[in-house]
Structures are given as structure tokens and as C-alpha cells.
């Protein structure tokens, strides 16, 4: 069983359409893939239609933008009821603020001499939940930086960088409760990804465990071996499960689907906690 519980489509900052993502998952030999676009469920229906008859199982999910003590963090949510109004309203709030903030970042990049435009970013993002990776692609197109990842430095888009503008991000304890209230299962995405900026303390993770967090995403390319060991120990202490996933973004990042995976027993335990939606079996 090959299980990858973190992947993005062009409903957010991935480059595969949901249909292409399902094809990529099959090509990678996966048995289970979760679609976890940033702050949106817009890709769910297309992905569900695409798994039909393939034998692949789709876990509908999302990755929520959160912030605590000024530190940005991501919360994965699986198998929640997408129609539950309180959680849907919070996703909508974050998505809406992404537009204000996207325009502000583009403005800032222009002040810093980068010849990009909001129209260009809109073209790149299409219908996707707009974010810094789309602006990074615009900077690549304009020849300002060579790669998307080169745009994530203090010179440009990195947290605290010259052209970084914050967006509305949910308090993670509130987000954990919203996900649970919608019947979903909340998992802390890449909690030790230091290359993205500051990370939260073990105390914050303990508080989230008390609020209803289910698991930590331990096996992730942004974690070194020492970080993984520490997170595994912390999860054991707090009674949390541990997952592993690729965080695939299509051609916008170099990571491949299935590069990190989740243990089948952990997967079953997560699904057993969900009451908001069922896995979509192809
Ligand atoms: P946003 O949601 O607009 O705040 O942008 C965050 C997204 O940017 C993340 O989901 C990643 O896809 C991407 N990202 C953040 N840090 C990096 C980095 N150091 N290198 C490449 N991509 C990054
Ligand atoms: Fe992303
Ligand atoms: Fe993330
Ligand atoms: Zn992600």
C-alpha cells in the first residue's frame, strides 16, 4: 500500500489539474492520494470524477493557513464535510484575503524593480487559490529569479522577506476545532520545516494535541533526520499519530508523488476518526 496524504492541484498552487493529479498518482503507483489544496475544496469534484474506475482511493482534504504568535503554520484537514458552514466561512475568509495580499505583494515587487503585474499573476493562478508560488512563477517568467524556490529568499517572498505581506491566517487551535466540528481529521503539516521560516514550539503542539489534533506530518522532505526523530518522540509523548507525505505541487516543486508515505495502519486510524466524508474509492 502506497499512501500519500498531501498533494496540491491547480485549485491552489500545484500545476496539475485535479484530473492530471489523479493520473500522476496512478503513474507513481499510489493506492491512496489526498488532495489538500490551500484553503479550498474547489478541486474535489473533478478529482472524485477522475478516480472512478481506476482502483485509486482519493481522500478529499485541504491545507489551512494558520498563524500563532506571529508564526505561520499549515494544518491539513481530511474527510470533513465541505458544506459545514463555519469551517466553509473560514476557508472563504482566507481565500478572499489572498487576493488583497497578492496584489500588495505584486505592488511591493514592482517597487523593488521586478517587472511583474497582477494580470500576469492572475493568468498564472487561473482559478487557483492565489499564493506566493504563483507570484514566484511570475518572477521566474520576468527573469528576476531562476526558479520558484529562488523566489523564497529574504530578497523577495520568504516569510519576513522584502516583498512578504501577511494574509489572514486562522488561529490553529480554532482551526483544529473547526475541522473536528465539520467531522474532519486535523494533522499538523511539516511542523519542523525551518527553511520556510520560524516554527512553533513543542508547547504549541501540545496545546493543539489537547484541542483535538490527530497527527504530526513527520516524514516530509523539509525535515532532516534529527527533526523527524524529535517529532516522532513528541508525537508518542502526546498520543498523536505520525504521517508521511510528499507535499507534491506538480512542476512548481521538484518533489515527486510518493516520495514520503504514510503507514497503512495510521491511514486506517485516521479514516476511522472521520465522520464528515468518506474516502472516494475508484
Ligand atoms: P502562501 O500560501 O501564499 O503563503 O504561500 C505558501 C506556499 O509557498 C507554500 O504552500 C509552499 O508551496 C510555498 N513555499 C513556502 N516556502 C517555500 C520555499 N522555501 N521554497 C519553495 N516554496 C515555498
Ligand atoms: Fe503550497
Ligand atoms: Fe504546507
Ligand atoms: Zn502543502
Amino acid at each position: 500500500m502506497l499512501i500519500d496524504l498531501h498533494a496540491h492541484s491547480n485549485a491552489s498552487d500545484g500545476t496539475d489539474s485535479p484530473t492530471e493529479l489523479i493520473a500522476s498518482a496512478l503513474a507513481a503507483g499510489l493506492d491512496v492520494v489526498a488532495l489538500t489544496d490551500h484553503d479550498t475544496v474547489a478541486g474535489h469534484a473533478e478529482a472524485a470524477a477522475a478516480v472512478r474506475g481506476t482502483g485509486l482511493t482519493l481522500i478529499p482534504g485541504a491545507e489551512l493557513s494558520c498563524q500563532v504568535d506571529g508564526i505561520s503554520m499549515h494544518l491539513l484537514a481530511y474527510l470533513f464535510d465541505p458544506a459545514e458552514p463555519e469551517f466553509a466561512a473560514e476557508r472563504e475568509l482566507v481565500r478572499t484575503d489572498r487576493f488583497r495580499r497578492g496584489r500588495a505583494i505584486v505592488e511591493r515587487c514592482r517597487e523593488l524593480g521586478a517587472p511583474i503585474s497582477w494580470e500576469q499573476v492572475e493568468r498564472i493562478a487561473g482559478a487557483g487559490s492565489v499564493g506566493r508560488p504563483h507570484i514566484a512563477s511570475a518572477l521566474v517568467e520576468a527573469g528576476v529569479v531562476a526558479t520558484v524556490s529562488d523566489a523564497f529568499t529574504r530578497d523577495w517572498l520568504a516569510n519576513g522577506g522584502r516583498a512578504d505581506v501577511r494574509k489572514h491566517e486562522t488561529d490553529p487551535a480554532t482551526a483544529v476545532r473547526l475541522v473536528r466540528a465539520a467531522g474532519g481529521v486535523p494533522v499538523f503539516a511539516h511542523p519542523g520545516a525551518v527553511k520556510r521560516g520560524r516554527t512553533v514550539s513543542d508547547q504549541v503542539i501540545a496545546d493543539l494535541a489537547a484541542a483535538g489534533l490527530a497527527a504530526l506530518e513527520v516524514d516530509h522532505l523539509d525535515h532532516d533526520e534529527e527533526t523527524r526523530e524529535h517529532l516522532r518522540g513528541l508525537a508518542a509523548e502526546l498520543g498523536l499519530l505520525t504521517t508521511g507525505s510528499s507535499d507534491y505541487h506538480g512542476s512548481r516543486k521538484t518533489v515527486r508523488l510518493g516520495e514520503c508515505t504514510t503507514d497503512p495502519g495510521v491511514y486506517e486510524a485516521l479514516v476511522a476518526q472521520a465522520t464528515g466524508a468518506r474516502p472516494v474509492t475508484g
Side-chain angles (χ1 to χ4, degrees):
M1 284 274 280
L2 274 182
I3 301 161
D4 188 339
L5 297 180
H6 189 165
H8 296 266
S9 76
N10 64 5
S12 67
D13 56 4
T15 56
D16 287 2
S17 69
T19 303
E20 290 164 345
L21 173 68
I22 296 305
S24 303
L26 284 163
L30 296 185
D31 299 287
V32 179
V33 68
L35 176 61
T36 55
D37 278 308
H38 296 288
D39 310 303
T40 186
V41 300
H44 284 190
E46 187 185 321
V51 292
R52 228 174 277 142
T54 63
L56 184 72
T57 294
L58 168 73
I59 299 296
E63 184 175 21
L64 312 166
S65 304
C66 296
Q67 189 182 139
V68 58
D69 304 329
I71 301 171
S72 290
M73 51 158 285
H74 290 168
L75 188 75
L76 291 160
Y78 301 114
L79 298 169
F80 54 87
D81 173 4
E84 189 285 317
E86 267 193 78
F87 184 28
E90 186 60 27
R91 292 193 303 275
E92 166 87 38
L93 191 61
V94 179
R95 281 202 310 278
T96 303
D97 201 47
R98 282 177 168 279
F99 286 95
R100 174 202 60 81
R101 177 257 208 164
R103 285 175 187 273
I105 293 179
V106 168
E107 208 37 58
R108 191 73 194 112
C109 286
R110 290 170 63 90
E111 284 166 14
L112 292 165
I116 62 170
S117 69
W118 175 246
E119 289 66 37
Q120 181 190 11
V121 171
E122 276 187 312
R123 170 178 53 74
I124 291 167
S129 181
V130 68
R132 284 179 288 172
H134 301 116
I135 300 169
S137 288
L139 290 168
V140 172
E141 272 188 11
V144 175
V145 292
T147 67
V148 163
S149 124
D150 288 338
F152 282 89
T153 63
R154 308 279 290 189
D155 275 352
W156 299 105
L157 305 178
N159 290 342
R162 292 188 305 168
D164 179 36
V165 178
R166 318 277 328 228
K167 61 182 177 301
H168 168 76
E169 295 176 321
T170 312
D171 166 72
T174 304
V176 163
R177 288 186 203 103
L178 284 172
V179 172
R180 287 289 190 188
V185 184
V187 174
F188 195 154
H190 44 74
V194 287
K195 76 161 203 189
R196 298 177 184 223
R198 289 164 65 211
T199 56
V200 305
S201 65
D202 290 357
Q203 184 56 52
V204 167
I205 296 178
D207 294 345
L208 294 179
L213 187 70
L216 301 180
E217 185 184 55
V218 170
D219 288 312
H220 185 286
L221 241 53
D222 287 358
H223 292 158
D224 60 20
E225 200 39 58
E226 194 185 328
T227 301
R228 295 181 198 202
E229 278 313 309
H230 175 74
L231 290 172
R232 258 189 275 277
L234 185 62
E237 221 175 90
L238 298 172
L240 297 171
L241 297 164
T242 62
T243 66
S245 294
S246 67
D247 203 354
Y248 175 76
H249 280 70
S251 62
R252 207 165 259 123
K253 293 194 182 181
T254 53
V255 63
R256 289 168 290 114
L257 275 167
E259 212 165 317
C260 293
T261 56
T262 292
D263 175 80
V266 170
Y267 164 68
E268 298 294 341
L270 292 174
V271 170
Q273 291 183 23
T275 57
R278 300 309 302 158
V280 182
T281 48

